[in-house]
Amino acid sequence: MKIKIAITDSRIGAEAERRLALLGYRVITLPSFSRLSEAVASHPDMLIRKIGNEYISYADYCEEASYVFSDLSVLSVGTGARFCFSADEVKPEYPHDVGLNALMMGDILFCRVASASPLMLELARREGLRVVDVKQGYPACTVLKLSESAAITADQGMAKILEKNGIRVTLITPGSISLPPHEYGFIGGAGEAHDGKLFLFGDVNTHPDKDKIISAASSEGLSVISLSGGILRDLGGIIFTEGNID
């Protein structure tokens, strides 16, 4: 039987998890990885990257969280997808933490090449993706992908690069997104677009650029779903995918 899956940070909260479950998703939460800083240690955009039909994660993380990868085995049942693991040495300090942090838009993979996992780059090239080098080490955090050709960001540098590569960009003001203990988090980690909806951690109405966000989403045919109340939260986005169970 095919099931819809949402992979999230373990700190998603009961309200958001319940709302996803009511929409038909099996929620799989990721525990912290001891080699990342506490703020991002269980963020999906730091721990798992999908390239083509391959899911990439870290070998050391798999060893720490083997029970989660047992749960994630449903992704490969009858789908042809598989997990592969990087032996990269991960450290909590930037840029040793961003090996899998990348943004895929259409046939382009945006990442800080010097810090990117060699395995991710190899799979990207094997898949025929064009790799674009960016200065921003956290492109998946700073950019909220709405479609293959539209995005939202507060990062002006990323906005320029995206526009140069044919992506329509809605620029918002930095801040108003929670990521303790940092001053603020980023829009890319605060939500995910999937199946005609833009899911956000927190209430979109708390953001000063709420009208821009809602308008940009609407232009891409997305309705905005606030998964919980309060200020928007950067939780590393959501990996929406499918799997099979017997």
Side-chain angles (χ1 to χ4, degrees), residues 68-107:
V68 169
F69 285 91
S70 177
D71 291 343
L72 290 171
S73 65
V74 298
L75 304 183
S76 58
V77 177
T79 66
R82 71 184 186 96
F83 268 89
C84 51
F85 298 96
S86 164
D88 301 337
E89 184 179 3
V90 181
K91 299 178 183 179
E93 302 82 13
Y94 178 84
H96 305 289
D97 59 342
V98 299
L100 296 179
N101 198 295
L103 173 70
M104 192 157 70
M105 303 281 295
D107 63 351

Side-chain angles (χ1 to χ4, degrees), residues 107-113 116 120-122 124-125 128-134:
D107 63 351
I108 306 174
L109 186 76
F110 298 92
C111 63
R112 186 177 189 268
V113 172
M120 181 179 72
L121 295 176
E122 177 189 340
R125 291 177 178 126
L129 300 179
R130 180 161 60 91
V131 177
V132 173
D133 189 19
V134 297

Side-chain angles (χ1 to χ4, degrees), residues 46-234:
M46 299 290 283
L47 294 168
I48 298 176
R49 180 65 43 205
K50 188 180 183 190
I51 303 288
N53 220 21
E54 310 261 5
Y55 294 90
I56 313 164
S57 190
Y58 297 113
D60 290 338
Y61 182 56
C62 179
E63 185 175 347
E64 283 188 16
S66 58
Y67 66 94
V68 169
F69 285 91
S70 177
D71 291 343
L72 290 171
S73 65
V74 298
L75 304 183
S76 58
V77 177
T79 66
R82 71 184 186 96
F83 268 89
C84 51
F85 298 96
S86 164
D88 301 337
E89 184 179 3
V90 181
K91 299 178 183 179
E93 302 82 13
Y94 178 84
H96 305 289
D97 59 342
V98 299
L100 296 179
N101 198 295
L103 173 70
M104 192 157 70
M105 303 281 295
D107 63 351
I108 306 174
L109 186 76
F110 298 92
C111 63
R112 186 177 189 268
V113 172
S115 306
S117 167
L119 177 58
M120 181 179 72
L121 295 176
E122 177 189 340
L123 292 178
R125 291 177 178 126
R126 189 187 303 171
E127 192 67 20
L129 300 179
R130 180 161 60 91
V131 177
V132 173
D133 189 19
V134 297
K135 292 181 180 179
Q136 171 59 258
Y138 303 99
C141 300
T142 58
V143 177
L144 177 57
K145 175 180 173 180
L146 299 177
S147 69
E148 301 303 332
S149 57
I152 301 172
T153 188
D155 186 312
Q156 294 192 22
M158 281 301 302
K160 290 178 182 177
I161 291 171
L162 291 170
E163 288 172 342
K164 184 178 178 181
N165 285 276
I167 309 298
R168 297 185 302 279
V169 177
T170 297
L171 195 62
I172 60 172
T173 52
S176 303
I177 297 171
S178 174
L179 180 62
H182 300 290
E183 182 181 357
Y184 59 84
F186 304 97
I187 189 66
E192 203 77 34
H194 177 71
D195 196 25
K197 302 175 183 65
L198 174 59
F199 297 90
L200 292 172
F201 296 119
D203 185 351
V204 67
N205 292 303
T206 65
H207 198 282
D209 288 330
K210 63 178 182 180
D211 292 336
K212 280 188 175 183
I213 294 170
I214 294 170
S215 177
S218 178
S219 294
E220 299 303 315
L222 302 170
S223 58
V224 177
I225 304 293
S226 295
L227 290 172
S228 58
I231 188 172
L232 295 183
R233 303 169 63 203
D234 182 346

